[in-house]
Amino acid sequence: TITDPTGQLIYIEPADEQNHKTFNFYISSQMARMALQELKTQTDSTTSNIDSDDLKLSAFSLGKVWFDHLNKKEDGTTSNDERVYNLVASEQDLLGARMLLTMGSEDEEELMKAS
């Protein structure tokens, strides 16, 4: 994911009426690099207290993120009403998932024969 110099996650400004902070976790390093480049070109030092050159990619264990952040809050509850977390896959993964979801039983048999 994209972090600041201190290792804190960078969130996307709230885009919905509930003012959720959106955090993205990238499965593909290529997608993460593309997002970082895009964020660096859009980050303006007059609107942000973070210099875009200080932004970096950081790897996180999704299991640790789940148990330490997603599944509990500071007060001990398990709701994350003010935050939204997204897993961002690569385009290739998304196309493969779409293919699998739209396959019929005939397609499945053809795929099994081909392997």
Side-chain angles (χ1 to χ4, degrees):
T1 190
I2 301 172
T3 58
D4 68 9
T6 65
Q8 297 295 311
L9 296 175
I10 299 297
Y11 68 89
I12 298 169
E13 285 297 319
D16 59 11
E17 59 276 357
Q18 288 87 20
N19 288 328
H20 291 124
K21 294 178 180 176
T22 302
F23 298 91
N24 290 326
F25 291 94
Y26 300 90
I27 296 172
S28 160
S29 60
Q30 177 187 7
M31 295 297 283
R33 284 191 300 274
M34 288 171 44
L36 178 61
Q37 278 304 110
E38 183 67 25
L39 190 59
K40 282 184 174 187
T41 60
Q42 292 181 1
T43 302
D44 182 359
S45 60
T46 60
T47 60
S48 173
N49 58 354
I50 299 171
D51 184 3
S52 65
D53 291 333
D54 291 337
L55 297 176
K56 61 181 182 175
L57 294 178
S58 298
F60 289 92
S61 160
L62 289 180
K64 192 170 190 166
V65 168
W66 169 257
F67 288 110
D68 291 347
H69 300 286
L70 301 181
N71 206 23
K72 70 177 180 181
K73 289 174 58 172
E74 292 172 19
D75 62 2
T77 63
T78 58
S79 172
N80 286 297
D81 296 334
E82 67 279 352
R83 293 173 264 160
V84 175
Y85 298 91
N86 296 324
L87 285 177
V88 181
S90 68
E91 291 179 36
Q92 182 179 5
D93 291 335
L94 292 174
L95 289 173
R98 175 183 278 171
M99 182 189 77
L100 290 173
L101 288 172
T102 58
M103 282 178 53
S105 58
E106 306 85 29
D107 298 324
E108 185 178 343
E109 290 171 12
E110 294 278 332
L111 188 60
M112 293 302 275
K113 287 179 186 175
S115 11

